[in-house]
Each structure stands twice: as C-alpha cells, then as structure tokens.
Amino acid sequence: MSIDLLKKYGVSVAKGFVASTPDEAYNIAKEKFDGDVIVKAQVLAGGRGKGRFDSGLQGGVHICANAEEVRDIASKMINHKIFTVQTGISGRPCNKVFLVERKYIRREIYLAFLLDRETGGPVIIGSSQGGVDIETVAKENPNAIIKIPIEFSVGITNEQVSKVVEALKFRGNQALQASDIIKKLYKLFIEKDVLLLEINPFVELSDGNIICLDAKINFDDNAIFRQTDLVSLRDPTQEDPREVAAHNADLNYIGLDGNIACLVNGAGLAMATMDLIKLNGGSPANFLDVGGGASEQQVTEAFKILTSDKQVKAILVNIFGGIMRCDVIAMGILKAAKTLKIRVPIVVRLQGTNFQKAKEILENSGFRIIPADDLDEAASKVCKVAHIQSLAEDAQLSVSFELPI
C-alpha cells in the first residue's frame, strides 16, 4: 500500500483501512469512522474516478454516508472488473477497497518525483492547479507546471524546496508543512529506488493542514533485490498473467494487440523486429526478449507465454547469437513444439554463434519450421503466413502449418 509506505516516512496522510470483502468494509466503517467514508477501488490503474464496473457501478471512488452504504458500494467493486482509460478493454479485477476518512479540501495540488532522461537524474514536478485533470492542465496551460532537476550527488536543496513551495502557492505555516513533506518524499524516492512518486492530489485542507491524499509509486524492477520488504506487496492479479509468467521465468515480456508473436534476444533487436513486421503489413503481438543467455527451458517457457495468446496467428523467432547460442534456441523450439503441440506457423531466423548447427537441428527435426536467412525475409514470411492463418480460421478451414509431420 502506497499510503502505508508514506506513513513510514512520516508523511501526513488521511486515516484509511483496506477491506477484502463487503462485510469487512462494513465492520471497518462501523468501528473506525464517525463521519463520511470514501471508498476507493484498489487497482493498479489510473482514472478510477471516471471508471466503470461490470457490476454497473459508475466510478471507482465513492463518498458514503454510513456503513450500510459502504457495504453496498464495496459489493459492487470487490470481485468485479473496473474499466478505465488505463486498463484497456480487458479491465482490471478489483479484489480490495480502501476506506479513507473524508477530508474537506480547500485546494488540490499536483506533486511528483520521477527520473528524467533529459537531465539524467531526478526531477520534481508540481502544479498549483492539481487534481484529477492534471493532464488537461499540462496540455492547455503548461506554464502552470514547474519542473526542477535534482543532482543525485547533492540531493534536493532547501533552495529547490522553497522554489517548489512558492510555485505551489503555500504561505506561512503551510509552507513549513509542505517543505517538510517534500523532503520526506524525496528521501522515500531515493531510498526505495522509485521511478515515479506521484501525489495527486496533494491537498490543502479546510483546517489549514497539508496532506497527501492519494499516491502512485512505481519501483525499479532492477533494484528490487535491495527492496525485499516491497516484494510481498506485489499483487500479480493486477498484472497481465503473461507478464507474471515471464517475470517468473526471468524473461522480458510486454503484451501488445497484434497477431504475430516475437521471440528475440536483445531489446534493440526486438524493437527492430517489431518495426519490420509493421513495415511488412503485420502487427506484433508482443515484445519478448529472452536475453543474452537464455536456457532451453526458458525458451520453452517463452513459447508457452506466446501461445497462450489466442490472437497469435504466427510466431517469429529472430536470434542473433553472441553470448546466446543458436543451437540452444533451436533445442528450445523443438522442445516447445513437442510439449505444447504448437499449431501456428513458426518462422525462424538464426545468425551468430552455432547458427549452422542450429539450422541442422531444425532441418532434421521432422517439424515444419519455416527458415529465413535475414530479418527482411523473416518479417515478410511471417506476415504472409499469419495472414493465411487468419483467413483460414475465419473460413473455418484447416491449414497445413501444423508442426508435426
């Protein structure tokens, strides 16, 4: 929970509790709150407030006047899917809700820390015109947003904090509160290997106090070995099952909406492969990088992930062997073909270490695997066979791309 992490760093937040069932939500509302309760859907996606549930409920954030209303709203969120601008058409399951005390807000502010490629370090971004429509502010009034780069070796300075506080229009005691919170947030950002720490809204309450009312935190996967306390917070139900499987197999996978699956080694080669598929009229179904030293088992796991996507009509394997041995890839392809009974065409282009041996393995395998000598040829072939496969399935015809001869 982002709020729990903020509290550990001494950041002011609203009182809140998590509930996993409607009855639990009812009991918490009854025992822990005196006034209105805000019920928030706990999903890893933005735009909750304007989202909709498959239960018919509109909005993922609701103000409830009593415990009975809390239970009713929670029952329409928990174990239902929410659809927002960030979830895509598949939506995102809501397994929990967050109950938080209602705060009376005088003003909403936007505040964020993130890593910036342009400056090569952290930046702090803020706007006195914060709130749910910060994207609109960025588009229509970019001058209302302040951006200050921070030197890693120096850290955030008092002068920089003062500039942010002034830009966010805090004065007097509020300026002191905001300054303290900004320093604590930066400490969290650095110590927890955070890529994005977004407070939206960062609010001024009617009683004059300043608190963080909501937060979004993205962590650096490459530094997770230093953050073992965060591992238990990961909720795989909020992620694409294919991406979870790839993570468990130490593979890099991102699902896309095309119908040509890609298995490639190296991020740059993967991007080039997807570009060539597009240039040849196809559409990539994924980004999958097996890395520089994948094992035969990892290749098999990669095929399991690729073939779990029912939209896939063909698979392109594009390997440039350096550290990676092409014969290992070939053996992984054969193992996958045998165990998974793959029935979509596979186009294979192998170059580099042991590629001749790999070609011999595939040619003598007894499986119909379509070879290609260069990437242009491979992209052209996979787009053609994917098109044929799609036409055949639409016509409910059997095609001759079944791998076992």
Side-chain angles (χ1 to χ4, degrees), residues 258-274:
N259 65 358
I260 298 175
C262 309
L263 189 157
V264 188
N265 67 319
L269 187 59
M271 297 299 290
T273 301
M274 292 191 293

mmCIF file with all atom_site columns, all heavy atoms in Angstrom, residues 258-274:
data_model
loop_
_atom_site.group_PDB
_atom_site.id
_atom_site.type_symbol
_atom_site.label_atom_id
_atom_site.label_alt_id
_atom_site.label_comp_id
_atom_site.label_asym_id
_atom_site.label_entity_id
_atom_site.label_seq_id
_atom_site.pdbx_PDB_ins_code
_atom_site.Cartn_x
_atom_site.Cartn_y
_atom_site.Cartn_z
_atom_site.occupancy
_atom_site.B_iso_or_equiv
_atom_site.pdbx_formal_charge
_atom_site.auth_seq_id
_atom_site.auth_comp_id
_atom_site.auth_asym_id
_atom_site.auth_atom_id
_atom_site.pdbx_PDB_model_num
ATOM 1   N N   . GLY A 1 258 ? -1.409 -7.152  -31.441 1.00 0.00 ? 258 GLY A N   1
ATOM 2   C CA  . GLY A 1 258 ? -1.297 -7.713  -32.782 1.00 0.00 ? 258 GLY A CA  1
ATOM 3   C C   . GLY A 1 258 ? -1.491 -9.213  -32.798 1.00 0.00 ? 258 GLY A C   1
ATOM 4   O O   . GLY A 1 258 ? -1.940 -9.820  -31.814 1.00 0.00 ? 258 GLY A O   1
ATOM 5   N N   . ASN A 1 259 ? -1.113 -9.855  -33.924 1.00 0.00 ? 259 ASN A N   1
ATOM 6   C CA  . ASN A 1 259 ? -1.307 -11.309 -34.046 1.00 0.00 ? 259 ASN A CA  1
ATOM 7   C C   . ASN A 1 259 ? -0.039 -12.060 -34.449 1.00 0.00 ? 259 ASN A C   1
ATOM 8   O O   . ASN A 1 259 ? -0.097 -13.252 -34.748 1.00 0.00 ? 259 ASN A O   1
ATOM 9   C CB  . ASN A 1 259 ? -2.434 -11.618 -35.032 1.00 0.00 ? 259 ASN A CB  1
ATOM 10  C CG  . ASN A 1 259 ? -2.106 -11.177 -36.457 1.00 0.00 ? 259 ASN A CG  1
ATOM 11  O OD1 . ASN A 1 259 ? -1.054 -10.601 -36.730 1.00 0.00 ? 259 ASN A OD1 1
ATOM 12  N ND2 . ASN A 1 259 ? -3.033 -11.439 -37.375 1.00 0.00 ? 259 ASN A ND2 1
ATOM 13  N N   . ILE A 1 260 ? 1.119  -11.380 -34.465 1.00 0.00 ? 260 ILE A N   1
ATOM 14  C CA  . ILE A 1 260 ? 2.389  -12.045 -34.765 1.00 0.00 ? 260 ILE A CA  1
ATOM 15  C C   . ILE A 1 260 ? 3.272  -11.994 -33.530 1.00 0.00 ? 260 ILE A C   1
ATOM 16  O O   . ILE A 1 260 ? 3.722  -10.919 -33.114 1.00 0.00 ? 260 ILE A O   1
ATOM 17  C CB  . ILE A 1 260 ? 3.109  -11.389 -35.959 1.00 0.00 ? 260 ILE A CB  1
ATOM 18  C CG1 . ILE A 1 260 ? 2.256  -11.517 -37.218 1.00 0.00 ? 260 ILE A CG1 1
ATOM 19  C CG2 . ILE A 1 260 ? 4.480  -12.020 -36.175 1.00 0.00 ? 260 ILE A CG2 1
ATOM 20  C CD1 . ILE A 1 260 ? 2.837  -10.799 -38.428 1.00 0.00 ? 260 ILE A CD1 1
ATOM 21  N N   . ALA A 1 261 ? 3.491  -13.149 -32.922 1.00 0.00 ? 261 ALA A N   1
ATOM 22  C CA  . ALA A 1 261 ? 4.312  -13.223 -31.719 1.00 0.00 ? 261 ALA A CA  1
ATOM 23  C C   . ALA A 1 261 ? 5.794  -13.159 -32.087 1.00 0.00 ? 261 ALA A C   1
ATOM 24  O O   . ALA A 1 261 ? 6.203  -13.648 -33.133 1.00 0.00 ? 261 ALA A O   1
ATOM 25  C CB  . ALA A 1 261 ? 4.018  -14.512 -30.955 1.00 0.00 ? 261 ALA A CB  1
ATOM 26  N N   . CYS A 1 262 ? 6.582  -12.525 -31.215 1.00 0.00 ? 262 CYS A N   1
ATOM 27  C CA  . CYS A 1 262 ? 8.013  -12.350 -31.460 1.00 0.00 ? 262 CYS A CA  1
ATOM 28  C C   . CYS A 1 262 ? 8.817  -12.939 -30.303 1.00 0.00 ? 262 CYS A C   1
ATOM 29  O O   . CYS A 1 262 ? 8.522  -12.671 -29.138 1.00 0.00 ? 262 CYS A O   1
ATOM 30  C CB  . CYS A 1 262 ? 8.370  -10.875 -31.591 1.00 0.00 ? 262 CYS A CB  1
ATOM 31  S SG  . CYS A 1 262 ? 7.352  -9.955  -32.759 1.00 0.00 ? 262 CYS A SG  1
ATOM 32  N N   . LEU A 1 263 ? 9.827  -13.715 -30.637 1.00 0.00 ? 263 LEU A N   1
ATOM 33  C CA  . LEU A 1 263 ? 10.785 -14.211 -29.653 1.00 0.00 ? 263 LEU A CA  1
ATOM 34  C C   . LEU A 1 263 ? 12.161 -13.777 -30.126 1.00 0.00 ? 263 LEU A C   1
ATOM 35  O O   . LEU A 1 263 ? 12.643 -14.243 -31.158 1.00 0.00 ? 263 LEU A O   1
ATOM 36  C CB  . LEU A 1 263 ? 10.706 -15.734 -29.520 1.00 0.00 ? 263 LEU A CB  1
ATOM 37  C CG  . LEU A 1 263 ? 11.493 -16.377 -28.378 1.00 0.00 ? 263 LEU A CG  1
ATOM 38  C CD1 . LEU A 1 263 ? 10.907 -17.735 -28.012 1.00 0.00 ? 263 LEU A CD1 1
ATOM 39  C CD2 . LEU A 1 263 ? 12.974 -16.539 -28.695 1.00 0.00 ? 263 LEU A CD2 1
ATOM 40  N N   . VAL A 1 264 ? 12.779 -12.861 -29.393 1.00 0.00 ? 264 VAL A N   1
ATOM 41  C CA  . VAL A 1 264 ? 14.005 -12.209 -29.840 1.00 0.00 ? 264 VAL A CA  1
ATOM 42  C C   . VAL A 1 264 ? 14.971 -12.107 -28.672 1.00 0.00 ? 264 VAL A C   1
ATOM 43  O O   . VAL A 1 264 ? 14.560 -12.134 -27.509 1.00 0.00 ? 264 VAL A O   1
ATOM 44  C CB  . VAL A 1 264 ? 13.690 -10.792 -30.390 1.00 0.00 ? 264 VAL A CB  1
ATOM 45  C CG1 . VAL A 1 264 ? 14.912 -10.166 -31.041 1.00 0.00 ? 264 VAL A CG1 1
ATOM 46  C CG2 . VAL A 1 264 ? 12.533 -10.844 -31.398 1.00 0.00 ? 264 VAL A CG2 1
ATOM 47  N N   . ASN A 1 265 ? 16.263 -12.010 -28.962 1.00 0.00 ? 265 ASN A N   1
ATOM 48  C CA  . ASN A 1 265 ? 17.226 -11.767 -27.882 1.00 0.00 ? 265 ASN A CA  1
ATOM 49  C C   . ASN A 1 265 ? 17.836 -10.382 -28.047 1.00 0.00 ? 265 ASN A C   1
ATOM 50  O O   . ASN A 1 265 ? 18.434 -10.060 -29.055 1.00 0.00 ? 265 ASN A O   1
ATOM 51  C CB  . ASN A 1 265 ? 18.320 -12.845 -27.861 1.00 0.00 ? 265 ASN A CB  1
ATOM 52  C CG  . ASN A 1 265 ? 19.226 -12.795 -29.074 1.00 0.00 ? 265 ASN A CG  1
ATOM 53  O OD1 . ASN A 1 265 ? 18.771 -12.588 -30.199 1.00 0.00 ? 265 ASN A OD1 1
ATOM 54  N ND2 . ASN A 1 265 ? 20.520 -12.984 -28.864 1.00 0.00 ? 265 ASN A ND2 1
ATOM 55  N N   . GLY A 1 266 ? 17.591 -9.554  -27.055 1.00 0.00 ? 266 GLY A N   1
ATOM 56  C CA  . GLY A 1 266 ? 18.090 -8.185  -27.089 1.00 0.00 ? 266 GLY A CA  1
ATOM 57  C C   . GLY A 1 266 ? 16.972 -7.197  -27.349 1.00 0.00 ? 266 GLY A C   1
ATOM 58  O O   . GLY A 1 266 ? 16.183 -7.362  -28.295 1.00 0.00 ? 266 GLY A O   1
ATOM 59  N N   . ALA A 1 267 ? 16.884 -6.166  -26.516 1.00 0.00 ? 267 ALA A N   1
ATOM 60  C CA  . ALA A 1 267 ? 15.791 -5.198  -26.631 1.00 0.00 ? 267 ALA A CA  1
ATOM 61  C C   . ALA A 1 267 ? 15.835 -4.433  -27.949 1.00 0.00 ? 267 ALA A C   1
ATOM 62  O O   . ALA A 1 267 ? 14.799 -4.204  -28.581 1.00 0.00 ? 267 ALA A O   1
ATOM 63  C CB  . ALA A 1 267 ? 15.848 -4.213  -25.454 1.00 0.00 ? 267 ALA A CB  1
ATOM 64  N N   . GLY A 1 268 ? 17.042 -4.046  -28.392 1.00 0.00 ? 268 GLY A N   1
ATOM 65  C CA  . GLY A 1 268 ? 17.156 -3.302  -29.652 1.00 0.00 ? 268 GLY A CA  1
ATOM 66  C C   . GLY A 1 268 ? 16.718 -4.131  -30.837 1.00 0.00 ? 268 GLY A C   1
ATOM 67  O O   . GLY A 1 268 ? 16.000 -3.649  -31.726 1.00 0.00 ? 268 GLY A O   1
ATOM 68  N N   . LEU A 1 269 ? 17.138 -5.396  -30.852 1.00 0.00 ? 269 LEU A N   1
ATOM 69  C CA  . LEU A 1 269 ? 16.744 -6.294  -31.938 1.00 0.00 ? 269 LEU A CA  1
ATOM 70  C C   . LEU A 1 269 ? 15.234 -6.546  -31.903 1.00 0.00 ? 269 LEU A C   1
ATOM 71  O O   . LEU A 1 269 ? 14.588 -6.660  -32.953 1.00 0.00 ? 269 LEU A O   1
ATOM 72  C CB  . LEU A 1 269 ? 17.508 -7.615  -31.829 1.00 0.00 ? 269 LEU A CB  1
ATOM 73  C CG  . LEU A 1 269 ? 17.349 -8.607  -32.979 1.00 0.00 ? 269 LEU A CG  1
ATOM 74  C CD1 . LEU A 1 269 ? 17.800 -7.995  -34.301 1.00 0.00 ? 269 LEU A CD1 1
ATOM 75  C CD2 . LEU A 1 269 ? 18.116 -9.895  -32.694 1.00 0.00 ? 269 LEU A CD2 1
ATOM 76  N N   . ALA A 1 270 ? 14.684 -6.619  -30.708 1.00 0.00 ? 270 ALA A N   1
ATOM 77  C CA  . ALA A 1 270 ? 13.229 -6.820  -30.579 1.00 0.00 ? 270 ALA A CA  1
ATOM 78  C C   . ALA A 1 270 ? 12.469 -5.635  -31.168 1.00 0.00 ? 270 ALA A C   1
ATOM 79  O O   . ALA A 1 270 ? 11.467 -5.810  -31.881 1.00 0.00 ? 270 ALA A O   1
ATOM 80  C CB  . ALA A 1 270 ? 12.859 -7.011  -29.113 1.00 0.00 ? 270 ALA A CB  1
ATOM 81  N N   . MET A 1 271 ? 12.934 -4.426  -30.895 1.00 0.00 ? 271 MET A N   1
ATOM 82  C CA  . MET A 1 271 ? 12.277 -3.236  -31.438 1.00 0.00 ? 271 MET A CA  1
ATOM 83  C C   . MET A 1 271 ? 12.382 -3.203  -32.968 1.00 0.00 ? 271 MET A C   1
ATOM 84  O O   . MET A 1 271 ? 11.414 -2.889  -33.665 1.00 0.00 ? 271 MET A O   1
ATOM 85  C CB  . MET A 1 271 ? 12.903 -1.978  -30.845 1.00 0.00 ? 271 MET A CB  1
ATOM 86  C CG  . MET A 1 271 ? 12.729 -1.842  -29.335 1.00 0.00 ? 271 MET A CG  1
ATOM 87  S SD  . MET A 1 271 ? 11.013 -1.744  -28.810 1.00 0.00 ? 271 MET A SD  1
ATOM 88  C CE  . MET A 1 271 ? 10.578 -0.125  -29.434 1.00 0.00 ? 271 MET A CE  1
ATOM 89  N N   . ALA A 1 272 ? 13.566 -3.555  -33.476 1.00 0.00 ? 272 ALA A N   1
ATOM 90  C CA  . ALA A 1 272 ? 13.751 -3.577  -34.927 1.00 0.00 ? 272 ALA A CA  1
ATOM 91  C C   . ALA A 1 272 ? 12.856 -4.633  -35.569 1.00 0.00 ? 272 ALA A C   1
ATOM 92  O O   . ALA A 1 272 ? 12.292 -4.418  -36.649 1.00 0.00 ? 272 ALA A O   1
ATOM 93  C CB  . ALA A 1 272 ? 15.213 -3.846  -35.265 1.00 0.00 ? 272 ALA A CB  1
ATOM 94  N N   . THR A 1 273 ? 12.717 -5.764  -34.900 1.00 0.00 ? 273 THR A N   1
ATOM 95  C CA  . THR A 1 273 ? 11.876 -6.843  -35.416 1.00 0.00 ? 273 THR A CA  1
ATOM 96  C C   . THR A 1 273 ? 10.420 -6.400  -35.510 1.00 0.00 ? 273 THR A C   1
ATOM 97  O O   . THR A 1 273 ? 9.736  -6.631  -36.521 1.00 0.00 ? 273 THR A O   1
ATOM 98  C CB  . THR A 1 273 ? 11.985 -8.083  -34.510 1.00 0.00 ? 273 THR A CB  1
ATOM 99  O OG1 . THR A 1 273 ? 13.350 -8.516  -34.459 1.00 0.00 ? 273 THR A OG1 1
ATOM 100 C CG2 . THR A 1 273 ? 11.114 -9.229  -35.027 1.00 0.00 ? 273 THR A CG2 1
ATOM 101 N N   . MET A 1 274 ? 9.943  -5.751  -34.471 1.00 0.00 ? 274 MET A N   1
ATOM 102 C CA  . MET A 1 274 ? 8.559  -5.270  -34.484 1.00 0.00 ? 274 MET A CA  1
ATOM 103 C C   . MET A 1 274 ? 8.352  -4.203  -35.561 1.00 0.00 ? 274 MET A C   1
ATOM 104 O O   . MET A 1 274 ? 7.308  -4.173  -36.224 1.00 0.00 ? 274 MET A O   1
ATOM 105 C CB  . MET A 1 274 ? 8.181  -4.722  -33.107 1.00 0.00 ? 274 MET A CB  1
ATOM 106 C CG  . MET A 1 274 ? 8.104  -5.797  -32.022 1.00 0.00 ? 274 MET A CG  1
ATOM 107 S SD  . MET A 1 274 ? 7.356  -5.205  -30.481 1.00 0.00 ? 274 MET A SD  1
ATOM 108 C CE  . MET A 1 274 ? 8.598  -4.048  -29.938 1.00 0.00 ? 274 MET A CE  1
#
